[in-house]
Amino acid sequence: MGNLISIAIVGKSSEKLAQILQLEPSALEESDLAIFIVSANDGIVKANIDKWATARELYIPSIVLVSETEESDLDFDDMTAIASKILDPVAVQYLVLHSDDGKPVALIDLLSLQIFDYSAPNTTAPIVKKGENEHRDLIGEYQQEYFERIEEAGQDAFENGLLFPALPWVD
């Protein structure tokens, strides 16, 4: 049996995420990893800001999940900017692509330029396809920012609790 890691989940819908991941969350102070859920509807509450500070003091590797963007005026980009100001600067490897009616339908990976399209009806698995030149132009600034953040922080920055990936989550 391999080494098990303990994971803390902080924020709205933490119980739901624990069920999806099929894990029993641990206390933050005893965790090897922390997942912070920030809601586009509710923002980042004071109690979770305090828990973020604790995770930073303990150098616990942390991930920020941005939720509830479908019901909010704020989108993933807005919430990652807010998280970067209130918590610490976050690193965004995946951008959300929207349909013509504004609904989130796909992710684009800034490293590989692959698109993970979730718009096909009656399926939960994405269709993976290569990004086109128009996508390259669209993400150029974001890609450069991501690479600069990785270079600045160092290759082991996530494991050392110094770099914080942000991911969209539709729950």
Side-chain angles (χ1 to χ4, degrees):
M1 192 152 148
N3 292 341
L4 297 177
I5 64 168
S6 57
I7 300 173
I9 303 175
V10 177
K12 187 175 182 179
S13 302
S14 57
E15 297 86 14
K16 185 174 185 176
L17 182 59
Q19 279 184 328
I20 292 168
L21 297 176
Q22 298 180 356
L23 63 87
E24 185 67 38
S26 61
L28 180 62
E29 294 79 6
E30 300 168 3
S31 296
D32 301 310
L33 172 70
I35 300 172
F36 286 83
I37 304 170
V38 297
S39 163
N41 278 335
D42 301 328
I44 305 170
V45 297
K46 171 81 170 94
N48 293 346
I49 295 169
D50 294 342
K51 289 179 181 179
W52 181 268
T54 299
R56 301 296 51 83
E57 289 170 11
L58 298 172
Y59 293 96
I60 298 171
S62 300
I63 297 170
V64 174
L65 289 185
V66 177
S67 69
E68 298 184 330
T69 56
E70 309 81 38
E71 303 91 25
S72 175
D73 291 335
L74 300 176
D75 64 12
F76 178 69
D77 293 338
D78 296 331
M79 279 309 298
T80 56
I82 291 168
S84 288
K85 289 188 183 334
I86 293 176
L87 304 175
D88 280 293
V90 298
V92 176
Q93 180 179 337
Y94 297 92
L95 295 180
V96 178
L97 299 178
H98 297 85
S99 64
D100 292 338
D101 65 359
K103 292 178 66 174
V105 293
L107 298 176
I108 185 165
D109 183 341
L110 296 180
L111 294 177
S112 68
L113 299 180
Q114 285 187 309
I115 295 175
F116 299 86
D117 185 348
Y118 291 89
S119 65
N122 303 321
T123 182
T124 56
I127 297 169
V128 180
K129 51 190 170 184
K130 187 176 179 179
E132 300 173 11
N133 284 337
E134 70 182 53
H135 295 113
R136 188 179 314 275
D137 296 339
L138 176 72
I139 66 163
E141 182 180 321
Y142 295 100
Q143 188 180 45
Q144 181 179 352
E145 181 181 314
Y146 179 73
F147 289 142
E148 287 171 0
R149 184 148 298 145
I150 297 294
E151 184 177 324
E152 189 178 284
Q155 290 299 320
D156 296 333
F158 173 71
E159 293 87 356
N160 293 325
L162 302 171
L163 182 70
F164 316 105
L167 300 167
W169 179 43
V170 178
D171 58 345

PDB file of all heavy atoms in Angstrom, residues 5-10 18 23-34:
ATOM      1  N   ILE A   5      -1.984  10.500   1.411  1.00  0.00           N
ATOM      2  CA  ILE A   5      -1.844  11.879   1.832  1.00  0.00           C
ATOM      3  C   ILE A   5      -3.155  12.331   2.446  1.00  0.00           C
ATOM      4  O   ILE A   5      -4.227  11.836   2.096  1.00  0.00           O
ATOM      5  CB  ILE A   5      -1.436  12.805   0.673  1.00  0.00           C
ATOM      6  CG1 ILE A   5      -2.510  12.857  -0.402  1.00  0.00           C
ATOM      7  CG2 ILE A   5      -0.106  12.396   0.083  1.00  0.00           C
ATOM      8  CD1 ILE A   5      -2.290  13.962  -1.418  1.00  0.00           C
ATOM      9  N   SER A   6      -3.057  13.260   3.368  1.00  0.00           N
ATOM     10  CA  SER A   6      -4.261  13.800   3.982  1.00  0.00           C
ATOM     11  C   SER A   6      -4.578  15.131   3.313  1.00  0.00           C
ATOM     12  O   SER A   6      -3.691  15.932   3.034  1.00  0.00           O
ATOM     13  CB  SER A   6      -4.066  13.956   5.488  1.00  0.00           C
ATOM     14  OG  SER A   6      -2.950  14.769   5.753  1.00  0.00           O
ATOM     15  N   ILE A   7      -5.869  15.336   3.039  1.00  0.00           N
ATOM     16  CA  ILE A   7      -6.315  16.504   2.289  1.00  0.00           C
ATOM     17  C   ILE A   7      -7.376  17.247   3.094  1.00  0.00           C
ATOM     18  O   ILE A   7      -8.340  16.648   3.569  1.00  0.00           O
ATOM     19  CB  ILE A   7      -6.895  16.094   0.925  1.00  0.00           C
ATOM     20  CG1 ILE A   7      -5.831  15.368   0.098  1.00  0.00           C
ATOM     21  CG2 ILE A   7      -7.439  17.301   0.168  1.00  0.00           C
ATOM     22  CD1 ILE A   7      -6.337  14.774  -1.195  1.00  0.00           C
ATOM     23  N   ALA A   8      -7.174  18.557   3.217  1.00  0.00           N
ATOM     24  CA  ALA A   8      -8.185  19.425   3.814  1.00  0.00           C
ATOM     25  C   ALA A   8      -8.949  20.097   2.686  1.00  0.00           C
ATOM     26  O   ALA A   8      -8.357  20.479   1.676  1.00  0.00           O
ATOM     27  CB  ALA A   8      -7.529  20.481   4.695  1.00  0.00           C
ATOM     28  N   ILE A   9     -10.264  20.216   2.846  1.00  0.00           N
ATOM     29  CA  ILE A   9     -11.087  20.926   1.878  1.00  0.00           C
ATOM     30  C   ILE A   9     -11.773  22.060   2.626  1.00  0.00           C
ATOM     31  O   ILE A   9     -12.471  21.835   3.605  1.00  0.00           O
ATOM     32  CB  ILE A   9     -12.126  20.008   1.209  1.00  0.00           C
ATOM     33  CG1 ILE A   9     -11.431  18.812   0.539  1.00  0.00           C
ATOM     34  CG2 ILE A   9     -12.943  20.786   0.190  1.00  0.00           C
ATOM     35  CD1 ILE A   9     -12.383  17.781  -0.035  1.00  0.00           C
ATOM     36  N   VAL A  10     -11.562  23.277   2.142  1.00  0.00           N
ATOM     37  CA  VAL A  10     -12.051  24.465   2.824  1.00  0.00           C
ATOM     38  C   VAL A  10     -12.972  25.231   1.883  1.00  0.00           C
ATOM     39  O   VAL A  10     -12.621  25.468   0.731  1.00  0.00           O
ATOM     40  CB  VAL A  10     -10.862  25.374   3.236  1.00  0.00           C
ATOM     41  CG1 VAL A  10     -11.355  26.650   3.891  1.00  0.00           C
ATOM     42  CG2 VAL A  10      -9.889  24.626   4.128  1.00  0.00           C
ATOM     43  N   ALA A  18     -15.725  16.435  -1.247  1.00  0.00           N
ATOM     44  CA  ALA A  18     -15.199  15.254  -0.549  1.00  0.00           C
ATOM     45  C   ALA A  18     -15.919  13.991  -1.016  1.00  0.00           C
ATOM     46  O   ALA A  18     -15.281  12.951  -1.234  1.00  0.00           O
ATOM     47  CB  ALA A  18     -15.335  15.426   0.957  1.00  0.00           C
ATOM     48  N   LEU A  23     -13.207  10.925  -0.355  1.00  0.00           N
ATOM     49  CA  LEU A  23     -12.195  11.008   0.686  1.00  0.00           C
ATOM     50  C   LEU A  23     -12.770  11.602   1.957  1.00  0.00           C
ATOM     51  O   LEU A  23     -13.790  12.282   1.941  1.00  0.00           O
ATOM     52  CB  LEU A  23     -10.971  11.803   0.216  1.00  0.00           C
ATOM     53  CG  LEU A  23     -11.128  13.264  -0.159  1.00  0.00           C
ATOM     54  CD1 LEU A  23     -10.997  14.171   1.044  1.00  0.00           C
ATOM     55  CD2 LEU A  23     -10.058  13.627  -1.160  1.00  0.00           C
ATOM     56  N   GLU A  24     -12.107  11.309   3.018  1.00  0.00           N
ATOM     57  CA  GLU A  24     -12.443  11.859   4.324  1.00  0.00           C
ATOM     58  C   GLU A  24     -11.474  13.009   4.575  1.00  0.00           C
ATOM     59  O   GLU A  24     -10.288  12.795   4.800  1.00  0.00           O
ATOM     60  CB  GLU A  24     -12.288  10.781   5.408  1.00  0.00           C
ATOM     61  CG  GLU A  24     -12.724  11.218   6.779  1.00  0.00           C
ATOM     62  CD  GLU A  24     -14.221  11.469   6.868  1.00  0.00           C
ATOM     63  OE1 GLU A  24     -15.002  10.722   6.248  1.00  0.00           O
ATOM     64  OE2 GLU A  24     -14.596  12.422   7.567  1.00  0.00           O
ATOM     65  N   PRO A  25     -11.978  14.251   4.504  1.00  0.00           N
ATOM     66  CA  PRO A  25     -11.075  15.385   4.687  1.00  0.00           C
ATOM     67  C   PRO A  25     -10.441  15.385   6.079  1.00  0.00           C
ATOM     68  O   PRO A  25     -11.029  14.921   7.040  1.00  0.00           O
ATOM     69  CB  PRO A  25     -11.975  16.606   4.521  1.00  0.00           C
ATOM     70  CG  PRO A  25     -13.228  16.110   3.916  1.00  0.00           C
ATOM     71  CD  PRO A  25     -13.351  14.666   4.273  1.00  0.00           C
ATOM     72  N   SER A  26      -9.244  15.908   6.156  1.00  0.00           N
ATOM     73  CA  SER A  26      -8.559  16.009   7.437  1.00  0.00           C
ATOM     74  C   SER A  26      -8.527  17.464   7.882  1.00  0.00           C
ATOM     75  O   SER A  26      -8.819  18.380   7.110  1.00  0.00           O
ATOM     76  CB  SER A  26      -7.144  15.438   7.317  1.00  0.00           C
ATOM     77  OG  SER A  26      -6.410  16.158   6.362  1.00  0.00           O
ATOM     78  N   ALA A  27      -8.147  17.675   9.111  1.00  0.00           N
ATOM     79  CA  ALA A  27      -7.995  19.027   9.630  1.00  0.00           C
ATOM     80  C   ALA A  27      -6.851  19.713   8.880  1.00  0.00           C
ATOM     81  O   ALA A  27      -5.861  19.067   8.519  1.00  0.00           O
ATOM     82  CB  ALA A  27      -7.701  18.986  11.123  1.00  0.00           C
ATOM     83  N   LEU A  28      -6.997  20.983   8.666  1.00  0.00           N
ATOM     84  CA  LEU A  28      -6.010  21.729   7.889  1.00  0.00           C
ATOM     85  C   LEU A  28      -4.604  21.557   8.453  1.00  0.00           C
ATOM     86  O   LEU A  28      -3.655  21.287   7.714  1.00  0.00           O
ATOM     87  CB  LEU A  28      -6.385  23.211   7.844  1.00  0.00           C
ATOM     88  CG  LEU A  28      -5.442  24.124   7.068  1.00  0.00           C
ATOM     89  CD1 LEU A  28      -5.381  23.724   5.600  1.00  0.00           C
ATOM     90  CD2 LEU A  28      -5.872  25.571   7.213  1.00  0.00           C
ATOM     91  N   GLU A  29      -4.459  21.693   9.744  1.00  0.00           N
ATOM     92  CA  GLU A  29      -3.138  21.629  10.380  1.00  0.00           C
ATOM     93  C   GLU A  29      -2.477  20.264  10.243  1.00  0.00           C
ATOM     94  O   GLU A  29      -1.269  20.152  10.399  1.00  0.00           O
ATOM     95  CB  GLU A  29      -3.239  22.008  11.864  1.00  0.00           C
ATOM     96  CG  GLU A  29      -3.636  23.436  12.119  1.00  0.00           C
ATOM     97  CD  GLU A  29      -5.134  23.713  11.972  1.00  0.00           C
ATOM     98  OE1 GLU A  29      -5.919  22.765  11.778  1.00  0.00           O
ATOM     99  OE2 GLU A  29      -5.511  24.884  12.034  1.00  0.00           O
ATOM    100  N   GLU A  30      -3.248  19.233   9.933  1.00  0.00           N
ATOM    101  CA  GLU A  30      -2.724  17.868   9.798  1.00  0.00           C
ATOM    102  C   GLU A  30      -2.631  17.420   8.337  1.00  0.00           C
ATOM    103  O   GLU A  30      -2.337  16.258   8.068  1.00  0.00           O
ATOM    104  CB  GLU A  30      -3.630  16.900  10.563  1.00  0.00           C
ATOM    105  CG  GLU A  30      -3.727  17.210  12.042  1.00  0.00           C
ATOM    106  CD  GLU A  30      -4.833  16.439  12.723  1.00  0.00           C
ATOM    107  OE1 GLU A  30      -5.505  15.607  12.068  1.00  0.00           O
ATOM    108  OE2 GLU A  30      -5.053  16.683  13.923  1.00  0.00           O
ATOM    109  N   SER A  31      -2.855  18.334   7.409  1.00  0.00           N
ATOM    110  CA  SER A  31      -2.974  17.970   5.995  1.00  0.00           C
ATOM    111  C   SER A  31      -1.668  18.107   5.229  1.00  0.00           C
ATOM    112  O   SER A  31      -0.822  18.934   5.548  1.00  0.00           O
ATOM    113  CB  SER A  31      -4.030  18.850   5.321  1.00  0.00           C
ATOM    114  OG  SER A  31      -5.281  18.600   5.899  1.00  0.00           O
ATOM    115  N   ASP A  32      -1.579  17.277   4.189  1.00  0.00           N
ATOM    116  CA  ASP A  32      -0.468  17.351   3.244  1.00  0.00           C
ATOM    117  C   ASP A  32      -0.822  18.244   2.054  1.00  0.00           C
ATOM    118  O   ASP A  32       0.059  18.669   1.311  1.00  0.00           O
ATOM    119  CB  ASP A  32      -0.135  15.953   2.710  1.00  0.00           C
ATOM    120  CG  ASP A  32       0.245  14.991   3.814  1.00  0.00           C
ATOM    121  OD1 ASP A  32       1.111  15.348   4.628  1.00  0.00           O
ATOM    122  OD2 ASP A  32      -0.344  13.891   3.866  1.00  0.00           O
ATOM    123  N   LEU A  33      -2.114  18.496   1.870  1.00  0.00           N
ATOM    124  CA  LEU A  33      -2.618  19.286   0.749  1.00  0.00           C
ATOM    125  C   LEU A  33      -3.908  19.957   1.193  1.00  0.00           C
ATOM    126  O   LEU A  33      -4.685  19.372   1.946  1.00  0.00           O
ATOM    127  CB  LEU A  33      -2.913  18.371  -0.453  1.00  0.00           C
ATOM    128  CG  LEU A  33      -3.623  18.978  -1.649  1.00  0.00           C
ATOM    129  CD1 LEU A  33      -2.708  19.963  -2.380  1.00  0.00           C
ATOM    130  CD2 LEU A  33      -4.095  17.895  -2.605  1.00  0.00           C
ATOM    131  N   ALA A  34      -4.130  21.182   0.713  1.00  0.00           N
ATOM    132  CA  ALA A  34      -5.386  21.882   1.002  1.00  0.00           C
ATOM    133  C   ALA A  34      -6.034  22.312  -0.301  1.00  0.00           C
ATOM    134  O   ALA A  34      -5.352  22.778  -1.222  1.00  0.00           O
ATOM    135  CB  ALA A  34      -5.131  23.096   1.890  1.00  0.00           C
TER     136      ALA A  34
END
